[in-house]
Every structure is written in structure tokens, then in C-alpha cells.
Amino acid sequence: MTRAAKLTFEDKTIELPVIEGSEGELAVDITQLRAEMGLITLDPAFGNTGACTSAITYIDGEKGILRYRGYPIEQLAEHSSFIETAWLLIFGKLPTRAELDRFSAQLTAHAPLHESFKHHFEGFPVNAPPMAMLSAMINTLSCFHPEAQDLDEAAFFEEAARLVSKVRTIAAYSYRRSLGLPFIYPDPKLRYVANFLHMMFSMPYDQHVATREVIEALNLILLLHADHEQNCSTSTVRVVGSSRANLFASCAAGVSALWGPLHGGANVAVLEMLEAIHKGGMSAEQTLALAKDKKSGFKLMGFGHRVYKNFDPRAVILKRSADKVLGQLGVNDPLLDIARRLEELALSDSYFVERMLYPNVDFYSGILMRAMGIPTNMFTVIFAIGRMPGWIAHWKEQHETEGMRIARPRQIYTGPRETNYLPMAERK
Ligand code: CMC
């Protein structure tokens, strides 16, 4: 039996169907609301709006649950790799050995960039932000692969592998450009994460060999960032994709959305905040007081989440990993102590407790990446590499949805009523 919600406005009542998700979440289907009642809904920032149905990622923010395709993030973090998880997200099931081998072979084949990309990179100023280069160069892939517009199943597989692979080469080249260093070609003998670190840190005359601890930690960071349902950047990919823009153009838009400090850019902002405290600008206590003062416009970076009103399960895993990896690498980072102090203070402060503000994934990822020798301006770029499988999975799901329509929200207009044009001479 279809469940329904009754909506009464003035003298009219209608029934709106209630849709139930596989984990029991309920949503009122308002698609006929305007046609039947002449009303629309108003929900700025979409905090209460389901924009689609999706079978990719499940989050229960109250309980701190995150699952990709039904698999708990804790299990994937312990047993899976970023590449296996990427396959899981994009194709909906864990790969067989043959599928994973084929995917890995495609990633290796697609790692190099067309040689002309070098000229594009050389056109950027040396101090160009890597996120700007990343977004521009992902869009540029459309020029080299115009076939990305109309994808059948085989072509989609090819383009998805191309993007998952090339985003890492583009990211590494962006970093090299930002330092004025020579570009390092991918090494087909290396696996995904090791190859990225090679392209980031090798010199033509001196190959960088990443340690197992660093490879494992980066693999974990990428896996934990791989999807997070309808966040700002993923929604952007879906909105752009809904106009039938190609996969590269849609994901390039996702990179731009991710860049902001309230989203992926928060990992940079966390580090800057910890560094400022370390340099003695402000104590941890003063930082907390500033974050509580609404007039300051300052937020405690790495704290709070639109969806998680309990702990962020990714932050729990990363905190454990940060403790372990810093020990293994022999890093004694004063910023980690400051982070621990801030966390302790915030978790016992009524402002944060009442608002259910807990550390999010960005609170620990920056410290971990710093310990691995990754420069701060690359933190959000690494988030983008990690999020790519999620964006691709959502683009695919959206394109496979029957009756997909272009995204086009409405608005409540609050500007002037009809006004007659005034000739220049009559204007005050
Ligand atoms: N510091 C101080 N106050 C905060 C913070 C914070 N970090 N986060 C939320 N609040 C306050 C907020 O001002 C509001 O106060 P009040 O009820 O008095 O008006 C209350 O807590 C509830 O906020 P909310 O509605 O849960 O916040 P939101 O959904 O609008 O924003 C957020 C979510 C993540 C943008 C916000 O928590 C924030 O700016 N955090 C800092 C930036 C950050 O760490 N971003 C990374 C998010 S996780 C990774 C990702 O998705 O990219």
C-alpha cells in the first residue's frame, strides 16, 4: 500500500506519496505539488531536500554510519584498496579478480597525459593554485576525448578508467608546475598510489621510493574520501551532468565546488588554523572562543557536518591512522598535540556539545598528509583524487535513471514588481 502525507493549504487538501528508502528513510514526493496546489517548497542549502534516489552510499548521520554499496566504511578501510573501492562504487559490486586486473591494466594504460598537456601546464603562472589547474585540466580532457559525450557501456568503462587514472597524473603535474619542477612520467611498474607519489616526488635523476606506511596511509585517505552521497561537489556533478554535459566537464565542475573552505578546502583551513595557534597568534582556548562568537564569522575548521550529528566515522578511522603513522614515521608533530587539545576542549564545551559538532574527516586528514610530506596546497587536490570514483558513480547512476530531467530549481522572487523603463535624463 502506498503511504501518503496530507497537505492542507487554505481550503484544499491533497495527498502526497511517501517514498521509503531501503534503510527505512521516508520522503514526501512533492513533484506534483505545484501542479496541484500552486505551491513550491523553499529549502535554501537543500538541508531538507532529497534531489534523487541513489543506491551508491548510505549515511546515517545520527548514528555515525557510512556504507558504500552496503559495505561499512570500517570494513572497507580494513580490507579493501582505493582502486577496489572505486570499482565497487562505480560498478555497484565488489570486483572479481579478473575485473580488478582489467581495471588496473586500464588505469596503467591511461596514466600518461597527451604530450600537449605540458604546454597547457607551462602556460600557468608558477604560483597557480593546484586546484585551479586540476579543474581546468580535467575539463581539457574533453578536447582530447570528444567521444566522452555519448557513452555506451564499453566506452563508459574506458572513460571512467581514463579519469580515475589521469586525475592523479594531472594532480602531480599541477604540483610540479607550482614548484617549477620537471614533470615526471608515470611508471607502469608502480601501483596507483605509489605511482602518484613517484610523479609527485621523483626527480629525473633520482627516483622517489615511497615507504609502505605512506602508501597505505594515502590509500586509506583516498578510500575514505571516495564518496559521501549528495554533498556540495557531488550535487554539482549531478546538476552539471543533468544538462547532459560530458563526464569530464561534469567532474571538473565538481573540483571547483570541492575547492571551497567549507567543503574540501577545509583540510587546508584546519592546517592553517593549527599553524596559527602553534606560531602563538592565538591559544586553543581563544580559537574556540572566536568560533563560538557569531559576530567573528570564524568557524572551528574541521568541526561540524551537515549530515553527521554524531561522530564522523571517517574521522575516527583517520585519527587512529594518524596516531599509528606518525609513530611509524617517527614524526613528532606539535600540530597534532594542538589538534588533540582543541578536540578535547570542544568536546567538553556546551556550545559544541549542544550543537552536536564533532571533528570531521578534514580534522585529521591534514595532519596525516603533512606527516607524509604532502604540501598543504595539495591537500584538497588529494581529496579530489579520492572523490573522483564517487563523482563518476553518481554521473553514471544519473545517466542510467529513466526519465532523467535537467536540474532546474525554482525560486521565490523578492525583487521589484513590474517597473517602467526610465530614460537617462529622468533618472535621479
Ligand atoms: N564552528 C563553530 N560553529 C559551528 C561550526 C564550527 N565549525 N559548525 C557549525 N557551527 C554552528 C553553526 O553556526 C550553527 O549555529 P547556530 O545553531 O547557533 O546558528 C550550528 O553550529 C549548526 O550548524 P549546522 O547547521 O550543522 O551547519 P551547516 O550544515 O550549515 O554547515 C559545515 C556544515 C560543515 C559547513 C560547518 O559545520 C562548518 O563550516 N564547519 C567548518 C568547515 C569544515 O570543517 N568543513 C568540512 C566538512 S566535512 C568534509 C566535506 O564535506 O567537505
Side-chain angles (χ1 to χ4, degrees), residues 262-263 266 294 299-300 302-303 306 309 351 355 360 362:
L262 297 190
H263 191 10
K294 297 278 174 213
K299 295 252 172 88
L300 189 61
F303 263 75
R306 170 61 58 83
K309 300 302 169 196
Y351 174 97
R355 289 169 177 77
N360 58 47
D362 292 314

Side-chain angles (χ1 to χ4, degrees), residues 357-377:
L357 302 171
Y358 292 85
N360 58 47
V361 69
D362 292 314
F363 194 65
Y364 285 103
S365 63
I367 300 207
L368 197 47
M369 285 194 264
R370 184 178 139 98
M372 291 155 57
I374 292 173
T376 311
N377 68 350

Side-chain angles (χ1 to χ4, degrees), residues 263-331:
H263 191 10
N267 50 20
V268 174
V270 169
L271 238 279
E272 287 168 353
M273 178 182 77
L274 297 177
E275 269 165 359
I277 297 173
H278 182 54
K279 282 186 194 136
M282 261 197 307
S283 66
E285 287 77 2
Q286 285 169 323
T287 306
L288 218 66
L290 195 66
K292 288 168 11 180
D293 175 6
K294 297 278 174 213
K295 288 196 264 352
S296 74
F298 173 77
K299 295 252 172 88
L300 189 61
M301 300 316 286
F303 263 75
H305 200 276
R306 170 61 58 83
V307 180
Y308 292 120
K309 300 302 169 196
N310 195 319
F311 61 91
D312 176 341
R314 304 166 301 171
V316 175
I317 297 170
L318 271 188
K319 182 182 178 184
R320 225 179 294 131
S321 174
D323 287 340
K324 189 173 125 205
V325 173
L326 267 67
Q328 283 168 340
L329 298 177
V331 175

Side-chain angles (χ1 to χ4, degrees), residues 30 40-51 306 409-412:
I30 52 105
I40 63 165
T41 55
L42 183 63
D43 184 21
F46 313 126
N48 206 32
T49 294
R306 170 61 58 83
R410 290 185 178 270
Q411 63 164 19
I412 298 294

